[in-house]
C-alpha cells in the first residue's frame, strides 16, 4: 500500500525547557516524524522526546547552522493512546518550535540517508537525497536563526509551518515513483542562516539506513 500523509500539529514557545505538541494519531501503528527547532543555540543537553505515556521516540538526524539547531525524532509504529509529544532538555531555557506529522503504510524509516542534512546562509533552504526504493517519501524539516523570517514551501508539499515565533520552521515532504531518483525538498526564506534535515520513509521492509 502507498504511504499517505495523515496530519499533524505544531507549537512554539519562548524561554522554556520543555515543549509539547498536542496530537493523537488516527491509527495505532502509523509512523510519526517530529522535530524541535532552536534558533538561538547550537546544542542542548539532556534532550528527550517522548509521548505523554513516557514512550521514547528515536533520535534522527540533527543539524546546526548560524547559531541555531534542528533535532528530529521518529517512531516507526506508534502505540495506542498517544495524545501529545513532549520534548524536554536540561540546559538553559530557550525559544523553540516543534511539529509532528503522521504517515500511514510506512514499513521502514531511513534516518541516515546520504546528504540528508544541510545548512547555509542564503534564501533557499534545500536538501536533495536519492530514493532507496520505489515510492519512497522524504520528509524535510528546516529552521532558521533569524526572528521574523518565515519559510515558504516551493518544492514539495507543506505539512507544518511555524510563523508566529522567533523559532520559524517548516516541515514538508516529497515522493518519487522509482528507486534511484533524486528527491528534493525546498523552502524559500528571506536570506538568513538556515539549517535542516531529511528522513526517508519506505513502503517496503528494509534495514534502517
Amino acid at each position: 500500500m502507498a504511504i499517505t500523509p495523515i496530519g499533524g500539529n505544531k507549537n512554539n514557545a519562548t524561554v522554556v525547557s520543555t515543549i509539547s505538541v498536542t496530537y493523537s494519531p488516527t491509527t495505532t501503528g502509523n509512523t510519526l516524524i517530529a522535530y524541535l527547532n532552536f534558533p538561538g543555540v547550537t546544542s542542548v543537553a539532556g534532550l528527550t522526546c517522548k509521548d505523554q505515556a513516557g514512550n521514547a521516540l528515536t533520535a534522527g538526524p540533527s543539524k546546526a547552522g548560524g547559531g541555531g539547531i534542528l533535532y528530529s525524532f521518529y517512531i516507526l509504529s506508534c502505540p495506542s493512546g498517544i495524545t501529545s509529544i513532549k520534548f524536554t532538555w536540561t540546559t538553559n531555557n530557550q525559544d523553540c518550535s516543534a511539529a509532528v506529522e503522521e504517515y500511514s503504510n510506512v514499513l521502514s524509516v531511513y534516518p541516515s540517508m546520504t546528504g540528508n542534512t544541510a545548512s547555509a546562509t542564503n534564501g533557499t533552504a534545500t536538501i536533495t537525497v536519492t530514493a532507496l526504493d520505489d515510492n519512497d517519501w522524504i520528509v524535510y524539516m528546516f529552521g532558521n536563526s533569524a526572528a521574523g523570517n518565515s519559510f515558504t514551501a516551493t518544492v514539495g508539499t507543506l505539512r507544518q509551518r511555524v510563523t508566529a515565533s522567533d523559532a520559524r520552521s517548516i516541515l514538508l515532504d516529497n515522493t518519487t515513483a522509482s528507486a534511484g531518483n533524486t528527491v528534493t525538498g525546498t523552502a524559500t526564506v528571506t536570506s538568513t542562516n538556515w539549517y535542516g534535515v531529511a528522513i526517508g520513509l519506505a513502503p517496503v521492509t528494509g534495514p534502517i539506513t
Side-chain angles (χ1 to χ4, degrees):
M1 297 178 66
I3 292 173
T4 303
I6 302 299
N9 200 9
K10 59 187 182 291
N11 195 12
N12 60 268
T14 302
V15 194
V16 295
S17 60
T18 184
I19 184 172
S20 293
V21 179
T22 301
Y23 185 70
S24 297
T26 61
T27 303
T28 299
N30 279 356
T31 297
L32 293 181
I33 303 295
Y35 74 77
L36 176 63
N37 173 48
F38 295 104
V41 64
T42 56
S43 66
V44 295
L47 177 61
T48 62
C49 177
K50 300 179 180 181
D51 67 20
Q52 84 291 337
N55 300 301
L57 279 68
T58 301
S62 61
K63 184 64 177 179
I69 189 168
L70 187 143
Y71 293 93
S72 67
F73 298 85
Y74 65 90
I75 184 167
L76 174 61
S77 179
C78 65
S80 62
I82 291 178
T83 58
S84 65
I85 300 297
K86 183 178 182 179
F87 305 85
T88 303
W89 54 99
T90 58
T91 46
N92 294 339
N93 292 353
Q94 300 291 333
D95 295 353
C96 59
S97 60
V100 174
E101 188 69 20
E102 177 186 3
Y103 295 84
S104 65
N105 303 316
V106 177
L107 296 182
S108 300
V109 176
Y110 299 139
S112 304
M113 302 177 76
T114 300
N116 72 332
T117 68
S119 63
T121 303
N122 56 41
T124 305
T126 188
I127 293 176
T128 298
V129 298
T130 300
L132 301 177
D133 316 284
D134 294 351
N135 302 308
D136 277 359
W137 283 66
I138 312 297
V139 184
Y140 306 87
M141 296 152 273
F142 297 105
N144 71 69
S145 56
N149 284 6
S150 295
F151 289 100
T152 299
T154 55
V155 179
T157 302
L158 172 66
R159 302 299 175 187
Q160 303 295 329
R161 184 170 68 140
V162 174
T163 62
S165 76
D166 290 345
R168 306 295 172 98
S169 55
I170 192 170
L171 184 151
L172 58 146
D173 54 38
N174 206 348
T175 186
T176 184
S178 300
N181 286 350
T182 57
V183 190
T184 298
T186 302
T188 56
V189 64
T190 301
S191 185
T192 188
N193 300 307
W194 61 264
Y195 39 87
V197 305
I199 293 177
L201 308 177
V204 296
T205 301
I208 293 178
T209 302

